[in-house]
Amino acid sequence: MSRISRIKQAGEYLNSKKDSDGRVTIDVNLPDDYEIYDPLSVGFGNKLNSEIYDYIERQANLIPASIPLKIRFHGRSFSEEEQQQIRRTIERHYAVEAIDKTWDKAANTKKLIVMAVFGIAMLLIYFYLSVASDKQLMTELFSVLGSFSLWEAAGSFLLERPDLKREYESIMQFKNQTIEFSEN
């Protein structure tokens, strides 16, 4: 099967999973005996069982971040208050992940700027020494430092930043998902 036909097949699958509101639904079964909350979490910081997040994220793996999600929990009956608590817990979980990814993006930007400035400075020193000095070892050292620093800055910009952006968009897709409860 060619790559294009696999892409078409994935697109047809996604279109078949879309609801009338344009969201792709992920159904999650929560039997009565399933521990919804992480047994180690307590109080306000109560966390859902990590298996729930893992399952949802695995199911959403092929769904582009631009397509909104709907999570539908099946199985057990929840009161309106329990439903709201689960919604808040999930939103808080992904809000924290979004903050963490924002910090990663800021650290990447800082690294990019520092390495670019350092690399340019080293190359300027290299060019100056190549004209004004006969110390070949020092001159080559500045050349290597400058080249390495600019290479790292380019790697941060061309490789790391797009990955961070994609991860952030994926987290926001989960943070903005609609959550429904069905008792069947």
Side-chain angles (χ1 to χ4, degrees):
M1 180 179 280
S2 73
R3 181 177 178 184
I4 292 176
S5 62
R6 284 193 306 257
I7 292 171
K8 284 181 182 178
Q9 186 178 21
E12 290 170 6
Y13 172 75
L14 288 176
N15 285 331
S16 72
K17 297 284 285 180
K18 279 187 184 179
D19 284 349
S20 59
D21 60 357
R23 294 180 179 275
V24 173
T25 301
I26 297 174
D27 294 300
V28 181
N29 184 35
L30 297 176
D32 289 333
D33 61 342
Y34 185 78
E35 184 67 42
I36 293 176
Y37 291 99
D38 187 330
L40 300 176
S41 67
V42 293
F44 176 74
N46 215 2
K47 306 276 186 206
L48 289 183
N49 191 329
S50 62
E51 291 175 348
I52 296 171
Y53 296 119
D54 293 342
Y55 177 77
I56 291 169
E57 291 169 12
R58 276 194 324 268
Q59 296 302 307
N61 187 38
L62 288 177
I63 302 169
S66 61
I67 299 176
L69 297 176
K70 181 187 297 181
I71 308 304
R72 186 178 298 134
F73 291 109
H74 296 270
R76 106 176 26 167
S77 176
F78 293 101
S79 69
E80 188 61 37
E81 183 179 322
E82 289 172 318
Q83 291 178 16
Q84 290 305 324
Q85 177 61 33
I86 290 170
R87 285 183 180 104
R88 283 191 302 268
T89 302
I90 290 172
E91 185 176 340
R92 185 174 55 243
H93 170 80
Y94 287 111
V96 168
E97 284 199 7
I99 290 168
D100 182 47
K101 200 53 63 181
T102 301
W103 289 343
D104 290 348
K105 287 169 50 178
N108 177 267
T109 300
K110 183 177 179 181
K111 174 185 169 185
L112 173 87
I113 292 169
V114 167
M115 294 305 276
V117 168
F118 183 74
I120 290 170
M122 291 298 106
L123 287 179
L124 288 174
I125 293 171
Y126 161 74
F127 290 130
Y128 172 76
L129 289 178
S130 65
V131 172
S133 175
D134 59 349
K135 297 180 181 177
Q136 289 296 322
L137 182 62
M138 266 320 242
T139 305
E140 290 304 314
L141 179 65
F142 283 109
S143 170
V144 169
L145 287 173
S147 298
F148 173 76
S149 296
L150 288 178
W151 187 261
E152 277 295 308
S156 290
F157 183 73
L158 298 174
L159 302 175
E160 293 173 24
R161 286 184 78 78
D163 285 344
L164 289 171
K165 181 181 179 189
R166 223 176 352 268
E167 290 170 10
Y168 181 79
E169 289 170 352
S170 178
I171 290 168
M172 293 310 292
Q173 179 187 36
F174 292 121
K175 184 179 179 297
N176 297 324
Q177 65 196 355
T178 301
I179 300 172
E180 294 181 350
F181 294 85
S182 175
E183 295 181 17
N184 55 17

